Amino acid sequence: MGATGAVGQEFIKVLEQRRFPVASLRLLASARSAGKKLTFRGEALSVEELKENSFKGIELVLGSAGGAIARQFNPIAVAAGAVVVCNTSAFRMDPAVPLVVPEVNPQDIHWHKGIIANPNCSTIIMNVPVWPLHRANPIQRMVVSTYQAVSGAGAKAMAELEQQARDWAAGRPLVKGAMLHQAFFNVFSHNSRIAQNGYNEEENKMVNETRKIFHCPEMRVTATCVRVPVLRAHTEAINLEFSGPMGEQQVRDILSKAPGVRIVDDRGNNYFPMPIDAASGDDVLVGRIRQDASLPGGTGIDLFVSGDQIRKGAALNAVQIAELL
Amino acid sequence: MGATGAVGQEFIKVLEQRRFPVASLRLLASARSAGKKLTFRGEALSVEELKENSFKGIELVLGSAGGAIARQFNPIAVAAGAVVVCNTSAFRMDPAVPLVVPEVNPQDIHWHKGIIANPNCSTIIMNVPVWPLHRANPIQRMVVSTYQAVSGAGAKAMAELEQQARDWAAGRPLVKGAMLHQAFFNVFSHNSRIAQNGYNEEENKMVNETRKIFHCPEMRVTATCVRVPVLRAHTEAINLEFSGPMGEQQVRDILSKAPGVRIVDDRGNNYFPMPIDAASGDDVLVGRIRQDASLPGGTGIDLFVSGDQIRKGAALNAVQIAELL
């Protein structure tokens, strides 16, 4: 559902790369995209219009067509006998719906009632390296700042940033439309709506979804979510305050064994996680691992991480959930 | 001193714009730049090679030619009777040298012995809005993440980012050299050396210089400094932990009267500080003013700020110091 979007197209790629046991694949999208051809395992498949009767005989739905579509069609798909792994925010905070990062809370898939929610991209990329540290030494408070790719705003936003770069190089005026602000040679506070508490929706997702995924409703998190002119990997500066002393070497030891994590932390060569290295990969890159000098007793750690927003932040995580199922 | 660099050229512009009472101006740079012409008040002046005898009759030296040059020539300029406002890091932490942000500690110019240091750019941009808040309610701890323009790495880094954009648009391979990593469509941990404590030099500057400027040697600060593909304004996400409760409205009231600060905080239109708006301006833009939900008792505030690295972060601040003198 949403096959022609940035995440939809990545779903197809990930299913193919991971040899997911697909017997037959149906590509569902809006009427506008119907008839378009997309390739799966060397075969050109036609995109079909998403309709109420689209789910006959379907066992698994991977959804990334936006919240309104999810609210309308997820219950229909479930009624037809499918399990929906939903990449929109529509059902994430529903107490009846598990919210799953396979490296963190795989056990939560067992209590689903037809829908399993895939978390927000920035949340997933933060949770993968932070969870094993939290298990070793409970985290009291997190302060995170993001450097988010435009891919999170969709395929049109990626095309817009690329077009702005071409227009700048040609001396033409820059055009915007998919994004509220110019992305090229700029940085802006995340485009989501500002909620009552002064945080934007993306920041509130990072706070609330982390609490649900970690089963830690009291976890204290503050986040500042920001877009940068990067195409498809999110980077995050994460400050962690632990319950007890936590050394750099202990963090390195834990993260070197953590699933989904790759340490990139070469101080001598000033080589750390970068979105151009994280892009199109499966791992969350983690570096700048250092003791926070501002917290007493060695209870603080700073990290700098980068992960592909479309893959681990969306399509890969959803397919990993489907693999667990 | 260093007239042909990014900051040197901005010095000339700022002196002109602020009608600084210049009787005569000498443009000093390396032998390589000697003979080059730069315009001041409509007059073309020749760049001269910096030599030991360059300071005869000079009252004020504005220096931005790098630490080694400053260490060699600042004492010579002082011996010749000049006061040096030095934009390099060479003398900043010298206990005999004042380190001044005019909006914060103007009184410190009085005890200079010939050299006054201009702080690090990220430090200045953070200190201008944070100082008036600290005066009202002492800050216990700060967590800051930066989104730094490439201008901080010099005019060559700016030209390199622009060339990478042109090369990308033309489908050519991207070339780097002025910067260790590709800046275009990327983000990387600040290029300065990683110190013994795991922080890079830029981060340690933000911590140590803030303590000196604020006369607050116990101030707890942790920083993550990051380069983004932006030409000339630095942006920062700042988390502040106060001694007592600090409300959003109180912060707004204080900052609306603070010198050098302009509040840009339009939640309804999702309009907040952006480097394209801060560039070439004098003010530090401040927005995303909100109560930190992760700290108990309303003692936390989050801010998002942006200021021109070459102006307030360097040339303007130095000329303001000269104006105080």
Side-chain angles (χ1 to χ4, degrees):
Chain A
M1 230 167 24
T4 56
V7 175
Q9 294 187 53
E10 199 72 21
F11 272 142
I12 297 168
K13 207 183 288 179
V14 172
L15 289 172
E16 200 172 278
Q17 290 170 339
R18 295 177 75 90
R19 300 167 196 266
F20 193 88
V22 177
S24 82
L25 180 66
R26 295 182 71 179
L27 304 176
L28 305 174
S30 66
R32 197 167 27 84
S33 295
K36 219 172 157 178
K37 301 271 184 193
L38 293 173
T39 304
F40 177 64
R41 294 184 190 157
E43 197 185 340
L45 297 180
S46 280
V47 175
E48 305 169 44
E49 184 184 351
L50 173 63
K51 288 182 177 166
E52 301 215 345
N53 64 4
S54 293
F55 304 101
K56 200 165 176 288
I58 294 289
E59 286 180 282
L60 172 71
V61 176
L62 299 172
S64 63
I69 299 292
R71 272 184 290 271
Q72 185 185 346
F73 285 96
N74 285 5
I76 296 170
V78 172
V83 176
V84 181
V85 181
C86 176
N87 191 47
T88 79
S89 63
F91 292 87
R92 286 182 191 150
M93 295 311 296
D94 184 332
V97 173
L99 182 64
V100 177
V101 179
E103 291 85 349
V104 178
N105 60 335
Q107 75 284 359
D108 280 329
I109 65 152
H110 296 303
W111 53 271
H112 80 80
K113 296 181 180 70
I115 301 172
I116 299 176
N118 200 53
N120 165 269
C121 46
S122 305
T123 308
I124 296 174
I125 290 163
M126 174 170 75
N127 287 6
V128 167
V130 167
W131 171 251
L133 305 177
H134 177 67
R135 289 242 298 186
N137 190 343
I139 289 165
Q140 297 296 304
R141 181 171 176 246
M142 298 170 56
V143 182
V144 57
S145 303
T146 69
Y147 304 72
Q148 295 186 227
V150 299
S151 56
K156 275 183 191 158
M158 294 171 78
E160 182 166 293
L161 172 58
E162 292 185 322
Q163 189 56 43
Q164 287 176 349
R166 281 189 288 266
D167 286 343
W168 178 88
R172 294 187 295 259
L174 306 195
V175 179
K176 58 189 164 75
M179 290 177 282
L180 187 61
H181 302 296
Q182 173 186 321
F184 183 71
F185 282 178
N186 196 25
V187 155
F188 57 87
S189 178
H190 192 276
N191 43 289
S192 56
R193 204 178 51 83
I194 306 292
Q196 197 60 41
N197 66 352
Y199 286 75
N200 62 41
E201 284 171 353
E202 183 83 354
E203 292 159 356
N204 280 327
K205 286 174 188 173
M206 290 189 81
V207 176
N208 297 325
E209 294 184 17
T210 298
R211 288 172 171 171
K212 179 169 177 176
I213 296 162
F214 281 21
H215 294 273
C216 196
E218 304 297 317
M219 170 77 80
R220 297 189 286 137
V221 184
T222 184
T224 300
C225 289
V226 178
R227 288 246 187 253
V228 293
V230 163
L231 285 170
R232 59 175 283 163
H234 286 358
T235 305
E236 305 179 7
I238 306 174
N239 180 269
L240 300 171
E241 192 174 337
F242 292 91
S243 303
M246 187 74 163
E248 262 177 38
Q249 194 50 50
Q250 194 181 351
V251 171
R252 259 176 242 283
D253 288 346
I254 293 168
L255 291 179
S256 66
K257 291 171 215 135
V261 166
R262 182 152 59 89
I263 295 179
V264 177
D265 200 23
D266 182 349
R267 292 181 178 180
N269 291 306
N270 213 308
Y271 208 110
F272 302 108
M274 299 193 289
I276 49 168
D277 288 341
S280 304
D282 289 351
D283 289 331
V284 177
L285 311 183
V286 182
R288 297 299 321 277
I289 300 167
R290 62 200 190 279
Q291 197 85 56
D292 176 335
S294 78
L295 282 174
T299 55
I301 288 287
D302 279 299
L303 301 177
F304 192 59
V305 312
S306 192
D308 188 296
Q309 184 271 327
I310 310 179
R311 280 184 88 83
K312 185 57 190 169
L316 172 62
N317 196 76
V319 172
Q320 286 175 311
I321 292 171
E323 288 171 347
L324 286 177
L325 284 169
Chain B
M1 229 164 29
T4 54
V7 175
Q9 295 187 53
E10 199 74 21
F11 272 141
I12 298 170
K13 208 183 287 180
V14 172
L15 289 170
E16 201 173 278
Q17 290 170 339
R18 295 176 74 90
R19 300 169 198 267
F20 194 88
V22 176
S24 84
L25 179 66
R26 296 182 71 180
L27 305 175
L28 305 174
S30 66
R32 198 167 23 88
S33 295
K36 218 171 161 177
K37 301 271 183 193
L38 293 173
T39 304
F40 177 63
R41 295 183 189 155
E43 197 187 341
L45 298 179
S46 280
V47 175
E48 304 170 44
E49 184 184 349
L50 172 63
K51 288 180 177 169
E52 300 214 346
N53 64 4
S54 293
F55 304 100
K56 202 167 176 288
I58 295 290
E59 287 180 281
L60 172 71
V61 176
L62 299 173
S64 64
I69 300 292
R71 271 184 290 271
Q72 185 185 348
F73 286 95
N74 285 7
I76 297 170
V78 172
V83 176
V84 181
V85 181
C86 176
N87 191 46
T88 78
S89 63
F91 292 87
R92 285 181 193 151
M93 295 311 295
D94 184 333
V97 173
L99 182 65
V100 176
V101 179
E103 291 85 350
V104 178
N105 59 335
Q107 74 284 358
D108 280 329
I109 65 151
H110 297 303
W111 54 270
H112 80 81
K113 296 180 180 73
I115 301 171
I116 299 177
N118 200 53
N120 164 269
C121 46
S122 305
T123 308
I124 296 173
I125 290 163
M126 174 171 75
N127 286 6
V128 167
V130 166
W131 171 251
L133 305 176
H134 176 67
R135 290 242 297 186
N137 191 343
I139 289 166
Q140 298 296 304
R141 181 170 177 246
M142 299 169 56
V143 181
V144 57
S145 303
T146 70
Y147 304 71
Q148 296 186 227
V150 298
S151 57
K156 277 182 191 159
M158 295 170 78
E160 182 165 293
L161 172 58
E162 293 184 322
Q163 188 57 43
Q164 287 175 351
R166 281 189 288 268
D167 286 343
W168 178 87
R172 293 186 294 258
L174 307 194
V175 179
K176 59 189 164 73
M179 290 177 281
L180 187 60
H181 302 295
Q182 173 186 323
F184 182 72
F185 283 177
N186 196 25
V187 155
F188 57 87
S189 178
H190 191 276
N191 44 288
S192 55
R193 203 177 53 84
I194 306 292
Q196 195 61 41
N197 65 353
Y199 286 77
N200 62 43
E201 285 171 353
E202 184 83 354
E203 292 159 355
N204 279 328
K205 286 173 188 173
M206 291 189 80
V207 176
N208 296 324
E209 294 184 17
T210 297
R211 289 172 171 172
K212 180 171 177 175
I213 296 162
F214 281 19
H215 294 274
C216 196
E218 304 297 317
M219 170 77 82
R220 296 189 287 137
V221 184
T222 185
T224 301
C225 289
V226 178
R227 289 248 187 252
V228 294
V230 163
L231 285 171
R232 59 174 286 162
H234 286 358
T235 305
E236 304 179 7
I238 305 174
N239 180 268
L240 301 171
E241 191 173 338
F242 292 91
S243 304
M246 187 75 163
E248 261 178 37
Q249 194 49 51
Q250 194 182 350
V251 170
R252 261 174 241 283
D253 290 346
I254 293 168
L255 291 179
S256 66
K257 293 171 213 135
V261 166
R262 182 152 60 87
I263 294 179
V264 177
D265 200 24
D266 183 348
R267 291 182 180 180
N269 291 308
N270 212 308
Y271 208 109
F272 302 107
M274 297 194 289
I276 51 169
D277 288 342
S280 304
D282 288 352
D283 290 331
V284 176
L285 312 183
V286 182
R288 297 302 317 279
I289 300 167
R290 63 199 190 280
Q291 197 85 57
D292 176 334
S294 77
L295 282 173
T299 55
I301 288 288
D302 278 298
L303 301 176
F304 192 61
V305 313
S306 193
D308 188 297
Q309 184 271 328
I310 310 180
R311 277 184 91 83
K312 185 56 190 171
L316 171 63
N317 195 77
V319 172
Q320 287 175 310
I321 291 171
E323 288 170 348
L324 286 175
L325 283 169

